[in-house]
Amino acid sequence: MPHVLIAGATGYLGRYIVSEYAARGWTVTALVRDASRASDLEADHVRQVQVTDAKSLVGVMQGIDLVISALGITRQTEGVGYWDVDYQANLNLLNEALSANVPRFAYIHVLGADHMPDVPLVQAKTAFVTELQSAPIVSTIIAPSGYFSDMSDFLQMARSGRVWLFGKGGHRLNPIHGADLAAATAEAIDAEQGWLDVGGPEIFTHEDLAKLAFTALGTPVKISRIPDWVRRAVLRLLPFTTRQKTRGPLQFFLSAMGQDMVGERRGERTLGSHFRQELKRL
């Protein structure tokens, strides 16, 4: 029975990847920072480690056939930043995989990274991808357009009564459900595909997303538009006006809002259904 080690297993996507490989009959080892958050994982083994400390990884990959890293942070905290986790912690994983002669390594990246070279979160991820692609190991890079969970911002704005868009709201994206992304990840790895830009089955403009949120709520559509020069100006000012903790997510969000984020269409779960389920939980 093949054995997969999944890093970032308690995150949004990591949980779905664990379930996907368990359903495929693999032995699953979940690598986690806090084992108390892993009690509901469908994993055969849970290993609590500090991935930022290379020494804590020694020996954890013996007998592993595949490493999948969904490891990364959205917000930087005191003393821990993107280069510590998105780059160095993933590099620690890769180095340990190489030491243990693991034959395959897959990594969850971000779609459109080449258009966001000045965003620290993306810089760190891209630097690791460069390391992975040059390493003597079969690799697969998965670059999703965005998660359904990320689209909750549109739903929250609609609940407040109005959605604010930059410019005409015409940039396109096709966000994907975590379960569909986990399946697409497994399929790409099975095919030894080097890179997959991937998204969900439906392509939306930002304006479409706003309207979908209001439809889910059953309330009138109210959209206001902010000139796109405001978005660009805020991006330039953020390094001088915003604390490190909040700057990173804002830089990524504002950069992503200024471009199309469309990947290969996969899966079958719809965003409208996700919005309705989210509203039931509120």
Side-chain angles (χ1 to χ4, degrees):
M1 186 180 297
H3 194 161
V4 60
L5 181 144
I6 299 167
T10 57
Y12 169 76
L13 177 59
R15 290 178 175 276
Y16 285 111
I17 296 176
V18 168
S19 296
E20 178 68 25
Y21 274 87
R24 288 171 175 255
W26 286 57
T27 298
V28 178
T29 290
L31 213 60
V32 303
R33 183 175 59 86
D34 182 358
S36 67
R37 298 181 55 208
S39 59
D40 59 340
L41 287 180
E42 299 176 57
D44 299 284
H45 312 284
V46 173
R47 297 291 298 269
Q48 180 173 303
V49 298
Q50 296 298 324
V51 286
T52 52
D53 178 8
K55 293 179 181 178
S56 76
L57 296 172
V58 174
V60 302
M61 296 189 189
Q62 294 302 317
I64 297 295
D65 300 292
L66 165 67
V67 173
I68 303 175
S69 178
L71 186 66
I73 58 172
T74 301
R75 295 183 181 275
Q76 300 184 100
T77 57
E78 200 67 39
V80 180
Y82 298 125
W83 286 95
D84 299 307
V85 178
D86 292 80
Y87 174 73
Q88 188 60 55
N90 278 300
L91 186 58
N92 292 343
L93 289 169
L94 175 59
N95 287 336
E96 185 61 27
L98 293 172
S99 295
N101 295 313
V102 176
R104 302 161 73 186
F105 195 112
Y107 176 63
I108 310 301
H109 191 27
V110 59
L111 194 149
D114 53 331
H115 297 296
M116 296 182 275
D118 299 323
V119 177
L121 180 153
V122 178
Q123 288 175 341
K125 289 180 179 293
T126 300
F128 172 69
V129 167
T130 299
E131 298 276 5
L132 176 57
Q133 291 183 311
S134 64
I137 192 169
V138 177
S139 64
T140 297
I141 311 298
I142 306 294
S145 60
Y147 304 154
F148 275 14
S149 57
D150 298 330
M151 301 302 108
S152 295
D153 289 341
F154 285 92
L155 192 59
Q156 292 303 321
M157 282 192 289
R159 288 185 70 217
S160 71
R162 185 172 301 275
V163 172
W164 296 83
L165 300 177
F166 291 107
K168 296 179 180 180
H171 285 298
R172 303 178 307 142
L173 71 162
N174 59 329
I176 186 168
H177 190 281
D180 287 335
L181 179 53
T185 296
E187 291 162 8
I189 293 169
D190 281 350
E192 295 190 359
Q193 190 169 344
W195 190 291
L196 175 64
D197 286 339
V198 63
E202 305 168 296
I203 298 176
F204 303 96
T205 64
H206 294 167
E207 183 174 352
D208 292 334
L209 290 170
K211 291 178 178 178
L212 185 66
F214 283 113
T215 298
L217 287 163
T219 56
V221 174
K222 294 182 180 180
I223 297 174
S224 293
R225 302 178 192 278
I226 304 169
D228 194 59
W229 66 261
V230 174
R231 178 188 65 83
R232 298 193 300 270
V234 171
L235 268 173
R236 288 194 295 270
L237 292 171
L238 278 176
F240 310 103
T241 60
T242 311
R243 291 185 305 167
Q244 185 184 59
K245 183 177 180 179
T246 55
R247 185 191 315 150
L250 282 172
Q251 286 175 311
F252 177 73
F253 169 75
L254 291 171
S255 297
M257 290 292 284
Q259 64 180 38
D260 287 349
M261 299 277 282
V262 178
E264 184 177 319
R265 296 165 75 172
R266 295 288 189 91
E268 56 187 31
R269 292 169 177 81
T270 64
L271 185 59
S273 175
H274 173 75
F275 278 169
R276 290 189 292 273
Q277 290 173 3
E278 283 292 296
L279 289 172
K280 288 178 182 179
R281 285 194 283 267
L282 294 176

